[in-house]
Amino acid sequence: MALLLVGCDSGGNEDASSAAKEQARQAPETDRAGADRASQDRLPYEEQVQGPPPSQEELEKADALVAFYNVAAATLAEPYYAQAEAMLENVRHYLREWTLPPRPAPGGDGKVLARRLAAPADMFGEDAAAALSQWVEDMEKSIQSMRADYATLGRYVRDENIRDDGVKGRALAASLEKGHERFMAARDGYLALVEERAVKAEEALLYGHPLRRQILEARNIFSLYVTAAELLAAQTPDRQALGQVRSRLEAGLRRAGQPPFPAAPEVERAYRDFLKQAARYEVFLARGLDEGFYSPVRQELNNTAQESRQAYNIFVRTANSN
């Protein structure tokens, strides 16, 4: 039975999406504090009553859905889709230094990858499958638009006869940034819908699973990363709320590391590697609370979150192969 990979993540504590920033600004402090207290009082793996065991048919459907999500998450992490982020970073470099690195290679065949992302209607329903198909199409259009803008910007940068004080360059950069926003909206919409279904499906697969506690604790840890990112996106981060996140993360790591670990030694080693990376995130969060969340600390949080996601996916793949 397939366990759930952690989806690809291009957001971070320093460069959170505008939606996350807006939510962080608008969320009432009293509601957030209440939610924090409620979460601290409740163990993640006791949040849901398991009820009667799922049928064999339910298990097979859940396994297929989780497997589809894993393929989709891995596909969206391919260089072809990662080029959107690479082009954006290169354009930001251009706006700072007025030099533009070469356009990234395509990194794959968009048509082939789109077929991997095609959602079966009998798995998601016609409406959801149509929405997913539209998001895949929107991602492709956005990437092609970004590549076209990038090529035009490259020619503009190389043309020494143009004297317009960078007006056209800034316009092309703005167009490319809008293309990236459209790409991220489509990618995040696709992932959110598939992940929502996959998480529910995984609950069936975790019924009686020997590693249920460890898996749900890991899910809790990743949700704390998101909470920290939203808090750090605010103009003035709420240090008290960040301190609560740090305490919850510390407690979650402690619970996740408790024995027993009823699985093969190689599976346990992979999970322990994930916990080591997640513990580094807690260390940098504590440093930020002590010294301030300056750019180097935020970057370390971003890097550590990404590395712990990669380590967790190695654990999942190891567990799925045993």
Side-chain angles (χ1 to χ4, degrees), residues 10 32 57 63 71 92 149 152-153 177 192 198 210 224 322:
S10 67
R32 182 189 297 148
E57 181 182 3
D63 194 49
V71 169
R92 288 175 174 171
D149 283 340
T152 304
L153 180 59
E177 287 179 341
L224 291 173
N322 274 262

Side-chain angles (χ1 to χ4, degrees), residues 177-199:
E177 287 179 341
K178 288 181 180 178
H180 180 264
E181 289 176 3
R182 290 191 294 270
F183 171 83
M184 290 303 298
R187 196 205 72 156
D188 290 350
Y190 180 100
L191 269 178
L193 194 157
V194 179
E195 185 174 16
E196 179 186 10
R197 302 288 183 89
V199 166

Side-chain angles (χ1 to χ4, degrees), residues 38-67:
S39 296
Q40 284 180 305
D41 294 340
R42 184 177 62 236
L43 298 179
Y45 46 89
E46 293 178 353
E47 287 183 0
Q48 298 168 346
V49 178
Q50 288 191 299
S55 67
Q56 184 61 34
E57 181 182 3
E58 289 172 330
L59 286 174
E60 290 174 359
K61 289 182 178 179
D63 194 49
L65 207 159
V66 170

Side-chain angles (χ1 to χ4, degrees), residues 192-214:
L193 194 157
V194 179
E195 185 174 16
E196 179 186 10
R197 302 288 183 89
V199 166
K200 291 179 181 178
E202 191 183 41
E203 293 297 337
L205 301 180
L206 290 178
Y207 188 97
H209 195 287
L211 298 180
R212 183 173 186 267
R213 169 173 58 87
Q214 288 84 353

